[in-house]
Amino acid sequence: MSSSSPTPFAKLPAPPYYIVAFSSCRTDGDNGYGNMADAMVELASRQPGYLGVESARGDDGFGITNSYWADEESIKAWKAVVSHAAAQRLGRERWYEEYQVRIARVERAYGFDR
Amino acid sequence: MSSSSPTPFAKLPAPPYYIVAFSSCRTDGDNGYGNMADAMVELASRQPGYLGVESARGDDGFGITNSYWADEESIKAWKAVVSHAAAQRLGRERWYEEYQVRIARVERAYGFDR
């Protein structure tokens, strides 16, 4: 990664906190996905309890977005935000062949930085 | 994704189970990474308590691998496997600029399939 890029790693507090692990396979074509994805990250980042997000997608269309939240209540509140609910509907109608979501409580964490 | 490809989604039991969320930024060049990564997935899949793995990496070198385990004991046992420990050391010496690991207990899950 270029040293001039912003880091793709979320800066997180010490556990406990929550992770929403979102795995997805995209349909072909953009169909407005890119703009909506950017808008949803911006909107999520202003939600109470939002801690950060990390995302990667390969050339095969399979991607993982792990978002981090203070608690379960924050996750449920974000899921119910009106424009997010609209994006979820378009996700099922247009953008995703399949997605799987797992909600988990982070109990420990560690890392390495060169 | 081609319909002839094996699915990149892990087939998981109902919660609770555990997720190891591994976010990483690769160094330039392969340096034996691809072969070792394949070998580690093969080795992990034979560990007690292994449930599945999902992985995505973008062109910027940032990737996420979420692996799924029955319990904390399985995760700790896998971390201690000798050849895995050697791969972890090479990861720090050669393959990764940075990585972050979060271990979490999956409490609920849902999905969509077209």
Side-chain angles (χ1 to χ4, degrees):
Chain A
M1 198 182 77
S2 161
S3 58
S4 62
S5 301
T7 177
F9 291 94
K11 298 299 172 206
L12 300 173
Y17 49 85
Y18 277 75
I19 179 173
V20 177
F22 180 83
S23 295
S24 65
C25 211
R26 288 272 288 111
T27 51
D28 291 333
D30 186 74
N31 302 313
Y33 173 79
N35 286 343
M36 181 68 98
D38 291 346
M40 285 305 109
V41 169
E42 163 62 22
L43 185 60
S45 71
R46 287 186 275 119
Q47 286 297 302
Y50 171 88
L51 299 177
V53 67
E54 296 172 344
S55 196
R57 188 175 303 279
D59 293 334
D60 62 352
F62 184 74
I64 298 174
T65 295
N66 288 339
S67 62
Y68 299 94
W69 301 84
D71 47 41
E72 276 265 37
E73 290 64 37
S74 312
I75 295 167
K76 287 174 181 166
W78 165 234
K79 193 165 194 292
V81 167
V82 170
S83 41
H84 184 208
Q88 291 169 61
R89 184 173 54 76
L90 285 168
R92 290 185 294 270
E93 290 177 0
R94 290 188 198 171
W95 296 322
Y96 296 120
E97 288 291 342
E98 178 175 356
Y99 63 73
Q100 299 295 335
V101 188
R102 289 92 178 196
I103 296 92
R105 182 179 189 273
V106 177
E107 299 180 343
R108 56 193 177 89
Y110 62 93
F112 160 78
D113 194 352
R114 191 165 295 271
Chain B
M1 199 183 76
S2 162
S3 59
S4 62
S5 302
T7 177
F9 291 94
K11 298 298 172 206
L12 300 173
Y17 49 85
Y18 277 75
I19 178 174
V20 177
F22 180 83
S23 295
S24 65
C25 210
R26 288 272 288 110
T27 50
D28 291 333
D30 187 73
N31 302 311
Y33 174 80
N35 285 343
M36 182 67 97
D38 291 347
M40 285 305 108
V41 168
E42 163 62 21
L43 186 60
S45 71
R46 287 186 276 120
Q47 287 295 303
Y50 171 89
L51 299 177
V53 67
E54 296 172 344
S55 197
R57 188 174 304 279
D59 294 334
D60 63 351
F62 184 75
I64 298 175
T65 296
N66 288 340
S67 63
Y68 299 94
W69 301 85
D71 49 41
E72 276 266 38
E73 290 64 39
S74 311
I75 295 168
K76 285 174 182 167
W78 166 234
K79 193 163 194 292
V81 167
V82 171
S83 40
H84 182 212
Q88 291 170 62
R89 183 173 55 76
L90 286 168
R92 289 185 295 269
E93 289 177 1
R94 291 188 198 172
W95 297 322
Y96 296 119
E97 288 291 341
E98 178 174 356
Y99 62 73
Q100 300 295 335
V101 188
R102 289 92 178 196
I103 296 92
R105 183 179 189 272
V106 177
E107 299 179 344
R108 56 193 178 88
Y110 62 95
F112 161 78
D113 195 352
R114 191 165 293 274

